[in-house]
Amino acid sequence: MKEYIPRTQDEADYLKKYDPTKYYPTPSVTADLSIYAYDRKAEKLDLLLITRGGYPYKGFRAVPGGFVNYDEPIEDAAARELLEETGLKGIDPLLFCVLSDPKRDPRQRVITPEFLALADKDELSPQAGDDAKNTSWFTVTDFTENKERFGSVLKESYSLSLRYEEETLNISAKQSTDYSKKQPVRSFSLLNDADLAFDHAEAIIKSFISLRKRLMYTDIICGALSSTFTLKEYKAVLKAAFLSEDIKPNDNFYVYGESISVLPR
């Protein structure tokens, strides 16, 4: 990005004297990541969670992430935090939502862009570091989605179950969309947060909803399978995400019999 150059001396003086704390208290920014990995042997999707080693929420499960430095892009901060807490690198996460409730962090006002990625579990060996006490792969064991219409209002409910050894996390949420106005009005709320740190339960269930949509309409599946894969592998990933195996590859792909590729032959 090119550096901004003031057009006049008055503008240069204004920018030099500008006090960013005079009018608005400056919130902090963090970057969090929901990293999903496809387990080829089990034909399941796993989510990487850490156990926090420091306060607040010491000992609680959480997604990897942390504070953005003043001089770094948020995407770089996400990659750095993932490396520091889990030792993972070479993953290109995608922004899927922003969480910003003023009370979401007991320390201070924090705004968090949430990132999502899908990878091949065979290529990942996470190791806890920084303020992460440990890392664990939680398998997505169940997901349900229900929709009902009440006049102009669409009500949706979601439930997601994750399991690691004997530990099970059950997350549920609901969303209401009012179509009576020119612009749809949406509201989202958690029903069960599985006692996760901060509002990470919301981040996780929203990330899985986003992942399912991206599997239908984007090329995100390549992160789990590579740029060329078989129709059988494609259907297995859809099944692991609790999607219909009858969904056809979208326009990002070329299908040649039982082979699928993002690159034309």
Side-chain angles (χ1 to χ4, degrees):
M1 179 177 177
K2 65 180 180 180
E3 182 180 358
Y4 179 75
I5 300 175
R7 270 55 172 180
T8 66
Q9 186 59 47
D10 284 346
E11 185 181 13
D13 293 341
Y14 165 80
L15 292 174
K16 185 177 181 180
K17 297 176 181 178
Y18 182 78
D19 180 1
T21 65
K22 183 177 181 180
Y23 302 104
Y24 304 102
T26 303
S28 293
V29 179
T30 60
D32 289 348
L33 306 101
S34 293
I35 305 297
Y36 290 90
Y38 179 60
D39 185 332
R40 293 173 181 265
K41 293 179 181 179
E43 295 188 342
K44 297 287 187 180
L45 286 173
D46 293 346
L47 174 67
L48 183 62
L49 297 181
I50 67 166
T51 300
R52 287 181 56 82
Y55 298 114
Y57 292 102
K58 184 177 181 180
F60 283 64
R61 296 291 191 181
V63 296
F67 285 94
V68 178
N69 292 327
Y70 189 82
D71 59 350
E72 69 179 339
I74 290 176
E75 294 82 359
D76 290 354
R80 175 182 54 76
E81 285 291 338
L82 183 64
L83 178 62
E84 290 176 355
E85 291 192 341
T86 71
L88 298 181
K89 59 182 178 180
I91 294 175
D92 187 21
L94 304 167
L95 179 68
F96 70 90
C97 79
V98 176
L99 298 183
S100 62
D101 189 293
K103 297 181 179 180
R104 58 186 300 271
D105 192 311
R107 295 167 293 187
Q108 61 194 102
R109 177 81 164 97
V110 177
I111 297 172
T112 305
E114 298 287 340
F115 290 87
L116 161 70
L118 176 62
D120 183 345
K121 190 177 179 182
D122 289 340
E123 298 177 352
L124 305 180
S125 298
Q127 300 292 328
D130 196 22
D131 57 356
K133 185 178 179 180
N134 59 50
T135 65
S136 304
W137 285 113
F138 276 75
T139 301
V140 180
T141 57
D142 189 43
F143 177 80
T144 58
E145 176 184 35
N146 294 303
K147 297 182 180 183
E148 292 183 279
R149 279 196 177 273
F150 299 88
S152 62
V153 178
L154 173 64
K155 292 189 176 182
E156 300 167 88
S157 61
Y158 307 95
S159 64
L160 176 68
S161 294
L162 304 164
R163 187 173 180 83
Y164 169 71
E165 295 181 347
E166 300 302 315
E167 183 179 358
T168 300
L169 304 176
N170 294 312
I171 305 170
S172 58
K174 63 180 181 178
Q175 179 169 282
S176 176
T177 307
D178 187 350
Y179 291 98
S180 64
K181 309 296 182 182
K182 184 176 181 179
Q183 295 280 347
V185 179
R186 295 179 174 85
S187 62
F188 184 95
S189 60
L190 278 175
L191 299 175
N192 186 358
D193 68 0
D195 208 24
L196 289 157
F198 304 101
D199 51 3
H200 289 193
E202 180 176 349
I204 290 170
I205 199 164
K206 284 185 174 180
S207 73
F208 194 71
I209 293 169
S210 179
L211 174 62
R212 283 163 46 89
K213 291 179 180 178
R214 290 173 187 270
L215 283 170
M216 290 189 286
Y217 303 118
T218 75
D219 58 3
I220 195 171
I221 198 171
C222 294
L225 298 178
S226 80
S227 60
T228 301
F229 45 92
T230 67
L231 185 60
K232 182 180 179 180
E233 290 174 321
Y234 173 77
K235 289 183 177 182
V237 175
L238 294 182
K239 184 178 180 180
F242 296 89
L243 289 166
S244 171
E245 297 175 56
D246 295 329
I247 295 173
K248 296 181 179 180
N250 59 66
D251 292 340
N252 291 285
F253 301 103
Y254 300 87
V255 181
Y256 306 92
E258 295 297 309
S259 179
I260 303 173
S261 175
V262 290
L263 302 173
R265 292 185 179 180

